[in-house]
Amino acid sequence: MAEAQLVMQNVVLKHVLANQLKYGKADMKSVLAKIFAEMPEAKAKAKVLVSDVKKAIKKYEKLSKNEVESVLADVAPEMLEKKEKVVEKKTLPDLEGAKRGKVKLRLPPEPNGFLHIGHGLSFALNHLYVKKYGGKLVLKLEDNNPASSKSEFYGEIQRDIHWLGIKWDEMFILSEHLGELEAAAERLVRLDKAYVCTCSTEEIKKGRRNKVADSCRKNNRADNLERWNQMKSGKKFILRWKGDPTSDNSVLRDPTLYRVVDKVHTWTGENHVVYPTYDLASAATDGMLGITHVLRSEEFLMREPLHKEIIQSLGYAAPIYVHFGRFELDGTPTSKRLIRPLVENKKVIGWDDPRLATLMGLRRRGIVPETLMDLAVATGPYKGRSTIDRKLLEGYNRKHLDKIAERYFVLKNPVKLKLEGPEGTVAKISKLPGNDEAGFRELRAGDYIWLEKTDLEKNEGKLVRLKGLYNVKLERKKATYVEGPPIRPIIHWLSEIIEGELMLIKSGKDGELNETLKRVKVLAEPGIVNARSHIIQMERFGFAHLESHNPLKLVFVSK
């Protein structure tokens, strides 16, 4: 009789929890229907059953979704099987003038620092549009400035892009084409589209500010070609675009196209003496490469007419420009200009500090590439600055981590107790609830167990459930086995252990950052080092990045 009652209690419990997990609140009629379908003989005791179901609903109705999953995983893990939901996916808007198989886009990083979330989302947009139209993607390293380009960043940038899951069809390193760019500049001089200016920096600034043309603008082609050759020999003049000095768009007021820089380029190993500015280098090479669409942030919006004129003057078809708002991550500097001093002044661990918005930092924080792809679609190529909330980022990320992050027990503040119970009992716990193919962890209970100190303090003198094992009564120095069906609370535990370190990330002001770091010692189950993904879920605590196996090092990701 007692055994039949225990079976019925478990059936009631699993259907109440499964219904609550699915709908947010358990429904009496739905639960009873499930119970009667599984145990038709229960109809004979319908009144008693209704009372039991009511009690169970009331007992568990205030649990969070994660807590319901935890109890259900212990009582009836098979009920956690999830069906794929059919949802309408948000899609990117069409690109103007785009034709399938004819689209060619580019990723234009400058090798002067590590990539950040702004680059990541911009590159994701380009990648997704190339996939949408069956086009081609060029990785164009814009290293026209020899003073800022650093050799270490060429490889690091490529590694970050590979991590994003982006493959390019062609790589174009701008400094390898400086000869072609010099020829393009000379062609502009011959076309009377550019002139050499010998005015002082102050005179140039004054003329641009007052919308007045400089006297050098009147030079003839022969004089300009002669002075251009003098520039290539080291004479410190500048080559300027012959634009509109009176334009309300300051970019068009005869901007600089080439200048003399007495410096050996880190990539080519040569001192090219004259180097192109961003305007000529970027625009001309877009034309050379046959780029059809340029996707970039709004800060370049005013440069669109200039770049179109340069490209068309050189005989190329101008691309269609799509400008969108800058992407920033809330609570942390996003631009390289702001991040670099934090790194150089040792205000952060390095470029991979998990609080930073660099791709290295996000990767260390457990953000997966699929999350950035999702965000790129959600934010889209629209105007207006996009400041991304950490909670939103973590929300997108959690959807992907739930599918891959195996569960393990980790204790931050452990206490050791004598365990008095059946010898050699083994707990078999799913690595991924609802996915038996992921396998199970087997935790053997020994003579001693470790618990979280807070669990002991809250439950001393009370009954608890050791997850996957059995019920025990907790006392100050021991835990004693108590026979009976699963009860709450359910707590995690360890008997076999390995030591490790967990880097915690908490809210709090730390200079220009809104988060602080703290390293704490932890105990974990030994099987954690065999996790198939570098992201694991610490049960009852949150996700963590498994940064190192030996010694064990974890970085907190999110709840």
Side-chain angles (χ1 to χ4, degrees):
M1 185 71 177
E3 184 177 349
Q5 189 176 6
L6 178 58
V7 171
M8 181 57 70
Q9 286 176 352
N10 283 336
V11 171
V12 169
L13 180 57
K14 74 177 184 181
H15 284 298
V16 166
L17 293 171
N19 194 263
Q20 181 174 333
L21 184 62
K22 187 174 182 179
Y23 299 106
K25 182 178 180 181
D27 177 72
M28 168 73 74
K29 290 182 179 180
S30 298
V31 172
L32 287 172
K34 292 287 187 182
I35 295 172
F36 291 147
E38 181 176 340
M39 299 181 68
E41 66 274 20
K43 291 180 181 179
K45 297 183 179 181
K47 287 186 178 180
V48 175
L49 189 60
V50 167
S51 176
D52 289 345
V53 171
K54 281 184 178 178
K55 290 177 182 177
I57 290 175
K58 187 172 182 179
K59 182 175 181 180
Y60 296 104
E61 65 183 356
K62 293 184 179 180
L63 297 186
S64 68
K65 184 178 178 181
N66 286 342
E67 289 173 324
V68 173
E69 284 182 340
S70 178
V71 179
L72 195 54
D74 195 65
V75 175
E78 71 280 1
M79 301 292 287
L80 284 168
E81 291 185 12
K82 298 173 183 175
K83 295 180 180 178
E84 289 293 324
K85 291 183 179 178
V86 179
V87 294
E88 184 180 349
K89 290 187 177 179
K90 187 173 180 180
T91 57
L92 292 170
D94 292 338
L95 280 179
E96 178 188 345
K99 295 180 181 179
R100 182 152 189 85
K102 302 294 184 181
V103 168
K104 192 173 187 181
L105 308 182
R106 85 297 198 262
L107 311 179
E110 183 181 352
N112 65 350
F114 293 101
L115 302 183
H116 54 65
I117 193 170
H119 296 108
L121 292 174
S122 172
F123 292 1
L125 283 172
N126 280 272
H127 165 72
L128 292 169
Y129 273 118
V130 165
K131 286 181 65 179
K132 178 173 181 172
Y133 291 105
K136 299 290 185 182
L137 186 64
V138 180
L139 172 57
K140 186 174 76 153
L141 289 159
E142 295 191 335
D143 60 345
N144 53 291
N145 187 350
S148 62
S149 298
K150 306 294 181 186
S151 58
E152 65 185 290
F153 296 122
Y154 289 79
E156 292 293 347
I157 284 171
Q158 292 178 60
R159 276 189 281 276
D160 274 348
I161 296 173
H162 277 305
W163 172 73
L164 286 169
I166 296 175
K167 294 181 180 179
W168 54 86
D169 300 287
E170 179 184 349
M171 185 188 294
F172 184 94
I173 300 178
L174 197 146
S175 62
E176 294 178 356
H177 301 270
L178 289 175
E180 296 165 62
L181 287 168
E182 284 185 29
E186 186 169 318
R187 185 177 180 187
L188 291 175
V189 173
R190 292 182 182 279
L191 290 169
D192 199 30
K193 294 288 186 179
Y195 65 94
V196 176
C197 182
T198 61
C199 298
S200 68
T201 302
E202 284 305 314
E203 288 174 322
I204 293 171
K205 285 182 178 178
K206 183 179 179 180
R208 283 171 57 84
R209 185 171 58 248
N210 296 327
K211 299 183 180 181
V212 176
D214 288 315
S215 57
C216 295
R217 187 182 165 91
K218 299 176 183 177
N219 295 339
N220 60 42
R221 289 183 183 85
D223 287 341
N224 283 323
L225 285 170
E226 181 182 348
R227 289 174 180 175
W228 168 244
N229 287 323
Q230 289 176 348
M231 280 181 64
K232 291 195 288 184
S233 298
K235 195 72 173 176
K236 291 207 169 182
F237 302 146
I238 61 171
L239 181 69
R240 299 176 68 183
W241 173 254
K242 188 174 281 190
D244 179 2
T246 66
S247 175
D248 289 334
N249 181 353
S250 61
V251 171
L252 298 177
R253 297 177 201 159
D254 294 10
T256 301
L257 301 181
Y258 250 96
R259 73 281 196 217
V260 175
V261 182
D262 185 16
K263 192 170 181 65
V264 173
H265 197 286
T266 187
W267 184 257
T268 65
E270 297 178 36
N271 186 337
H272 299 271
V273 185
V274 288
Y275 290 91
T277 62
Y278 166 77
D279 286 321
L280 179 67
S282 182
T285 51
D286 280 345
M288 292 175 190
L289 289 164
I291 300 302
T292 63
H293 296 76
V294 170
L295 279 62
R296 61 188 184 185
S297 62
E298 284 180 314
E299 64 189 291
F300 298 102
L301 183 61
M302 302 292 281
R303 315 198 91 78
E304 180 181 333
L306 171 63
H307 289 196
K308 279 184 175 179
E309 287 187 44
I310 291 173
I311 292 170
Q312 290 168 339
S313 296
L314 292 171
Y316 303 114
I320 293 172
Y321 291 86
V322 179
H323 294 94
F324 47 81
R326 281 180 62 91
F327 297 111
E328 297 183 349
L329 186 59
D330 187 38
T332 185
T334 299
S335 72
K336 287 184 281 188
R337 176 180 58 83
L338 297 174
I339 295 173
R340 184 176 287 106
L342 295 179
V343 175
E344 292 175 349
N345 296 324
K346 302 189 184 306
K347 301 291 186 181
V348 292
I349 297 171
W351 288 92
D352 65 345
D353 190 302
R355 297 169 295 175
L356 292 179
T358 58
L359 293 189
M360 296 175 70
L362 294 174
R363 183 163 62 244
R364 193 176 185 191
R365 181 120 179 201
I367 303 299
V368 294
E370 294 84 354
T371 294
L372 296 184
M373 293 295 169
D374 287 348
L375 269 176
V377 174
T379 53
Y382 304 111
K383 289 184 171 64
R385 180 170 294 186
S386 296
T387 300
I388 299 162
D389 186 88
R390 280 272 188 195
K391 298 294 183 185
L392 177 66
L393 180 69
E394 291 173 359
Y396 276 104
N397 202 52
R398 194 177 297 111
K399 292 177 183 178
H400 295 288
L401 298 189
D402 273 331
K403 301 173 186 176
I404 63 171
E406 296 176 355
R407 275 61 164 172
Y408 291 96
F409 291 160
V410 176
L411 301 174
K412 304 188 300 298
N413 198 0
V415 290
K416 185 177 180 181
L417 301 177
K418 174 72 175 172
L419 178 62
E420 296 182 351
E423 293 184 10
T425 306
V426 176
K428 187 177 181 181
I429 306 173
S430 175
K431 290 182 177 179
L432 279 175
N435 182 2
D436 290 348
E437 293 181 3
F440 294 84
R441 304 133 55 200
E442 292 190 351
L443 281 69
R444 184 176 299 277
D447 294 332
Y448 292 90
I449 60 170
W450 282 261
L451 307 177
E452 279 289 357
K453 185 178 180 182
T454 53
D455 282 336
L456 177 59
E457 291 173 343
K458 289 178 183 177
N459 299 291
E460 188 174 343
K462 301 176 184 177
L463 293 182
V464 298
R465 178 81 171 178
L466 299 180
K467 182 163 185 179
L469 199 62
Y470 45 62
N471 301 334
V472 295
K473 182 179 181 181
L474 295 183
E475 299 176 69
R476 183 171 296 183
K477 304 236 176 177
K478 68 178 180 178
T480 307
Y481 168 76
V482 177
E483 187 176 357
I487 61 168
R488 290 196 60 79
I490 299 171
I491 63 175
H492 59 304
W493 56 279
L494 294 171
S495 196
E496 297 174 330
I497 60 170
I498 58 171
E499 296 180 344
E501 180 184 88
L502 171 65
M503 183 188 292
L504 293 171
I505 305 171
K506 295 187 174 183
S507 296
K509 202 68 180 169
D510 185 5
E512 296 179 47
L513 304 174
N514 288 342
E515 294 178 317
T516 61
L517 296 179
K518 181 182 179 182
R519 289 182 172 87
V520 297
K521 299 296 182 183
V522 295
L523 297 182
E525 59 182 272
I528 196 172
V529 299
N530 299 317
R532 285 176 292 185
S533 169
H534 65 285
I535 306 294
I536 60 100
Q537 184 169 344
M538 303 177 291
E539 295 216 32
R540 299 176 66 214
F541 183 45
F543 296 101
H545 175 204
L546 184 54
E547 194 167 52
S548 168
H549 292 78
N550 187 19
L552 176 66
K553 288 189 176 182
L554 301 164
V555 178
F556 180 75
V557 174
S558 67
K559 291 288 188 182

